[in-house]
């Protein structure tokens, strides 16, 4: 009931159905939320819905996504909520830029900015735009329902049009930075690569049922995927703790470790984890007393 047909990923036939699972990863590799979406849509407002529903102590400031979430309304509403929306954009060179001031000169990119933002529409609708942001922050309305209404089946409502104009302004500002700032592009790519690497670890953990959701209803699917996220976070935490312990021991031995080398370390490795076999849940006395397991010292040749 909760799945939708998708021949691209699942082939043809009665069983060719799937769901979309949006999961959220912090810049410290931990997953902090996930939602199941019926079928396989690629709509940005589910990203916003998940962020508003997450119950951790994390306070996001910048949100990255792939190109599928990069609509003008998305830029507008993330800005109203106080978050920087930083998608990785495909075919960014062909994107349209908009100007707020028709008389302004933008140097070498002036010829690229042919369209104007309707500032008057934004000003006239500003109070309504703030009410939209307030309604979302207080949970008075669900994001997906609200923005389907604003989209109007292809004919946006007046508030929807005002959001689009505001989004044109913010999207143009972001694109200008994206063109010019290599560090911004690298930061966005790094975060999305973290997410993909985390998926690799999660697929390794999710071996028993071959990555297939066996629960029929959304609640059960989210429980199953939530358990997967929990186990993935456990592996990440274990790696983080013992990586820090190994670095401490290396420093104690007088070895110099540069900050550049440490920055390249990742807590997503899994070669040392046993995924198959018997699981023992009895704790050694050492761990029960609050200490860490002893590190294995590799042979001198390694």
């Amino acid at each position: 009931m909760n799945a939708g047909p998708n021949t691209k990923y699942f082939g043809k036939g009665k069983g060719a159905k799937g769901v979309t699972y949006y999961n959220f990863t912090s810049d410290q590799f931990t997953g902090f939320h996930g939602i199941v979406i019926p079928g396989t849509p690629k709509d940005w407002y589910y990203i916003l819905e998940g962020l508003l529903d997450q119950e951790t102590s994390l306070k996001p400031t910048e949100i990255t996504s792939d190109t599928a979430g990069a609509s003008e309304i998305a830029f507008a509403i993330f800005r109203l909520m106080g978050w920087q929306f930083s998608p990785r954009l495909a075919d960014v060179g062909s994107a349209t830029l908009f100007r707020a001031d028709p008389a302004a000169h933008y140097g070498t990119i002036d010829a690229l900015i042919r369209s104007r933002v309707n500032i008057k529409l934004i000003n006239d609708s500003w109070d309504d735009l703030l009410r939209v942001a307030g309604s979302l922050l207080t949970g008075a309305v669900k994001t997906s329902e609200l923005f389907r209404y604003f989209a109007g089946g292809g004919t946006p409502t007046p508030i929807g049009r005002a959001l689009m104009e505001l989004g044109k302004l913010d999207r143009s500002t972001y694109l200008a930075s994206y063109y010019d700032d290599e560090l911004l592009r690298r930061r966005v790519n790094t975060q999305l690569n973290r997410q993909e690497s985390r998926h690799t670890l999660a697929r390794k953990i999710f071996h028993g049922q071959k990555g297939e959701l066996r629960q029929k209803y959304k609640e059960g699917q989210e429980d199953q995927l939530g358990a997967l996220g929990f186990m993935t976070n456990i592996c990440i935490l274990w790696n983080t703790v013992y990586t820090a312990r190994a670095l401490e021991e290396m420093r104690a031995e007088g070895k110099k470790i540069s900050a550049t080398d440490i920055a390249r370390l990742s807590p997503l490795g899994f070669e040392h984890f046993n995924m198959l076999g018997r699981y023992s849940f009895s704790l050694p006395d050492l761990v029960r007393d609050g200490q860490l397991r002893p590190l294995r010292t590799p042979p001198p040749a390694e």
Side-chain angles (χ1 to χ4, degrees), residues 43-87:
D43 293 310
W44 64 267
Y45 41 73
Y46 286 110
I47 302 176
L48 180 59
E49 194 166 286
L51 286 169
L52 292 171
D53 288 345
Q54 69 97 7
E55 297 178 348
T56 72
S57 60
L58 295 176
K59 303 295 183 185
T61 57
E62 184 176 35
I63 314 302
T64 62
S65 78
D66 59 16
T67 305
S71 73
E72 289 163 351
I73 292 184
F75 276 96
I77 198 62
F78 277 107
R79 176 62 65 198
L80 287 171
M81 306 290 278
W83 297 326
Q84 170 63 48
F85 186 45
S86 299

Side-chain angles (χ1 to χ4, degrees), residues 167-301:
K168 289 176 183 178
L169 189 62
D170 198 66
R171 187 171 184 267
S172 296
T173 303
Y174 173 73
L175 281 172
S177 298
Y178 196 81
Y179 291 145
D180 184 61
D181 190 345
E182 181 182 353
L183 292 178
L184 170 61
R185 297 194 300 271
R186 188 177 299 171
R187 186 171 72 242
V188 171
N189 281 329
T190 297
Q191 180 59 20
L192 293 177
N193 289 340
R194 286 191 184 110
Q195 181 83 316
E196 290 303 320
S197 297
R198 194 174 188 276
H199 289 167
T200 301
L201 172 59
R203 290 187 190 100
K204 190 72 175 178
I205 295 170
F206 200 5
H207 60 80
Q209 295 184 6
K210 302 178 182 178
E212 297 176 356
L213 291 175
R214 301 298 181 92
Q215 304 296 319
K216 295 181 179 180
Y217 299 99
K218 181 181 178 186
E219 291 76 12
Q221 291 168 357
E222 289 188 338
D223 286 345
Q224 186 179 357
L225 289 165
L228 172 63
F230 178 62
M231 287 303 303
T232 305
N233 279 349
I234 287 175
C235 292
I236 292 170
L237 177 60
W238 196 97
N239 282 338
T240 302
V241 169
Y242 279 92
T243 298
R245 175 72 182 86
L247 290 171
E248 290 172 3
E249 187 159 312
M250 292 172 69
R251 291 190 183 100
E253 294 172 356
K255 297 178 180 178
K256 293 184 179 180
I257 309 168
S258 70
T260 304
D261 290 335
I262 294 175
R264 292 194 182 100
L265 295 174
S266 169
L268 297 172
F270 52 76
E271 293 81 1
H272 51 295
F273 289 136
N274 269 337
M275 303 295 179
L276 301 173
R278 294 180 176 272
Y279 293 89
S280 173
F281 295 94
S282 59
L283 289 178
D285 293 338
L286 189 72
V287 178
R288 187 181 293 110
D289 293 339
Q291 302 180 56
L292 297 178
R293 297 173 185 271
L295 298 175
R296 290 196 296 267
T297 304

